[in-house]
Amino acid sequence: MSTRQASVHAKWIIGQVIGTKMKKTAKVRVTRLVLDPYLLKYYNKRKTYFAHDPLEQCTIGDVVLLKALPEKRSKHVNHELAEIVYKVGQVVDPLTGKRVAGTQYLEPLTESTEDTEVSLMEKLEQLNITASTPPSAS
Amino acid sequence: MPMKGRFPIRRTLEYLQKGEVVFKKSVKIMTVNYNTHGDLSEGARKFVFFNIPQIQYKNPWVQIMMFKNMTPSPFLRFYLDEGEQVLVDVEGKDHKEITNHVKMILGKSDKVLEAEALAKMELSNPANFGPKKYFLRECISEVEGQVPHPGFVPLPKEMTGKYRAKLAAASDE
């Protein structure tokens, strides 16, 4: 019987890319927090999903947002790449928009519009400070 | 014998059930980016340590992911349905402030929660009897003060059918 299910339970998921050896498909590992029934502590449980990546833009280690496809693309591929959240090696801080590496900013935060070549003397000349005539002493 | 671990109260059902944040239906993914060192991430670290288990317990279908030491400043990111994203900066905030803020922006309000609890209570009426899975009691005999099943406690002679039949026959004659 060929009753194709509409879609899978997970509509939006986030995971890390672990394999790109397939053509136009990325293997993504998704971790969910699952409660251990005796310890009552949450642990990460992994599951791998295959995602359709038409432009082959994923590399291993990217954190990726997947969207469920309306129809199954193939036996295992039910999701497609929605966006690359954090590209490995080129993480962009969403708050400032600057490139970031760990806890360091790669780009300077304050944008300096001045030309750093201009020396201090030239800057003083531009200010045009001249000794004003002293007021008539009483 | 006390419980093991740093704050073992986090691992009690009572603590987990006391979680206040219940997300709206459109929230699908929650991502927390924080740093393991630094004063500014302290609130975020406490939030992950104390409040994430409560949130996950109350929202079992929301995927929660933690990222450590990826960016200099800590933040929360929510991915809603239809591709909408919500960014919450938590730098320098206390974990209680973070939970209150999240509850305010993406959590169901107290009124909605109460209404839902009331609707759930209305579905199950304690006055009904039936299988243990769906109802409180199976038979009226389980209630204290009512006539118990003769299988457990023999009925007094006056209530048995055969004595009554004998009486009826004797009075007819």
Side-chain angles (χ1 to χ4, degrees):
Chain A
M1 61 176 191
S2 59
T3 47
R4 290 201 135 197
Q5 304 250 304
S7 184
V8 68
H9 194 268
K11 304 277 180 232
W12 292 88
I13 34 178
I14 247 194
Q16 192 172 37
V17 174
I18 44 176
T20 51
K21 295 231 172 103
M22 295 178 282
K23 286 180 226 173
K24 299 198 181 168
T25 317
K27 196 197 284 192
V28 176
R29 173 180 287 156
V30 163
T31 58
R32 290 197 169 90
L33 289 173
V34 172
L35 185 66
D36 183 280
Y38 181 71
L39 295 176
L40 289 181
K41 193 171 171 179
Y42 278 99
Y43 290 99
N44 281 323
K45 185 172 175 180
R46 311 165 160 180
K47 188 166 176 182
T48 42
Y49 288 90
F50 292 104
H52 178 59
D53 176 19
L55 306 168
E56 295 255 21
Q57 44 179 308
C58 295
T59 35
I60 295 188
D62 292 348
V63 175
V64 133
L65 179 67
L66 306 179
K67 184 178 171 162
L69 288 165
E71 253 189 19
K72 273 197 196 188
R73 197 186 156 77
S74 79
K75 188 165 121 184
H76 295 287
V77 179
N78 304 320
H79 301 268
E80 64 167 351
L81 178 73
E83 72 163 302
I84 299 182
V85 180
Y86 305 115
K87 181 106 189 117
V88 69
Q90 298 165 33
V91 179
V92 172
D93 180 21
L95 292 169
T96 52
K98 308 279 179 195
R99 279 187 52 200
V100 134
T103 47
Q104 303 283 332
Y105 282 103
L106 288 176
E107 294 164 357
L109 281 174
T110 48
E111 291 172 10
S112 53
T113 47
E114 303 164 0
D115 192 4
T116 46
E117 303 280 326
V118 176
S119 70
L120 191 59
M121 287 310 298
E122 285 171 24
K123 278 191 201 165
L124 282 171
E125 273 178 37
Q126 281 170 16
L127 284 170
N128 274 338
I129 299 170
T130 49
S132 54
T133 50
S136 50
S138 57
Chain B
M1 193 248 317
M3 282 177 81
K4 294 193 186 269
R6 263 189 296 164
F7 280 90
I9 192 173
R10 301 175 293 138
R11 299 196 287 116
T12 47
L13 270 180
E14 203 186 313
Y15 176 84
L16 290 173
Q17 281 158 1
K18 281 231 171 86
E20 292 175 339
V21 186
V22 180
F23 285 130
K24 294 179 188 162
K25 204 168 149 199
S26 58
V27 179
K28 298 283 181 229
I29 307 173
M30 173 171 159
T31 308
V32 186
N33 269 277
Y34 64 104
N35 295 328
T36 43
H37 295 86
D39 277 332
L40 298 166
S41 282
E42 184 62 33
R45 263 175 272 145
K46 289 235 149 48
F47 176 74
V48 167
F49 190 72
F50 288 112
N51 301 38
I52 291 272
Q54 287 179 318
I55 296 179
Q56 182 77 96
Y57 188 79
K58 288 284 178 177
N59 307 280
W61 297 112
V62 171
Q63 184 195 356
I64 301 183
M65 261 194 116
M66 254 69 81
F67 294 105
K68 291 192 213 178
N69 299 323
M70 281 187 89
T71 66
S73 54
F75 58 89
L76 263 60
R77 213 169 187 177
F78 298 89
Y79 296 84
L80 314 184
D81 244 342
E82 309 302 329
E84 212 185 313
Q85 291 181 22
V86 180
L87 188 62
V88 179
D89 184 18
V90 301
E91 193 161 353
K93 286 194 193 164
D94 190 36
H95 68 288
K96 290 214 174 90
E97 287 173 27
I98 303 174
T99 18
N100 286 332
H101 187 64
V102 167
K103 189 176 172 190
M104 195 168 60
I105 44 174
L106 291 165
K108 291 188 183 167
S109 61
D110 284 331
K111 275 191 191 171
V112 171
L113 283 174
E114 273 175 32
E116 279 182 7
L118 204 65
K120 213 171 157 189
M121 267 199 319
E122 279 171 14
L123 277 179
S124 58
N125 190 350
N128 294 334
F129 292 88
K132 277 284 178 197
K133 190 176 168 192
Y134 302 106
F135 303 99
L136 266 184
R137 301 161 293 205
E138 289 197 324
C139 179
I140 188 83
S141 58
E142 287 180 33
V143 180
E144 238 184 79
Q146 297 296 323
V147 176
H149 270 296
F152 290 107
V153 170
L155 284 175
K157 208 158 127 201
E158 293 82 22
M159 288 167 95
T160 53
K162 61 186 182 180
Y163 181 82
R164 281 192 178 164
K166 205 168 82 173
L167 259 185
S171 65
D172 274 347
E173 276 176 19

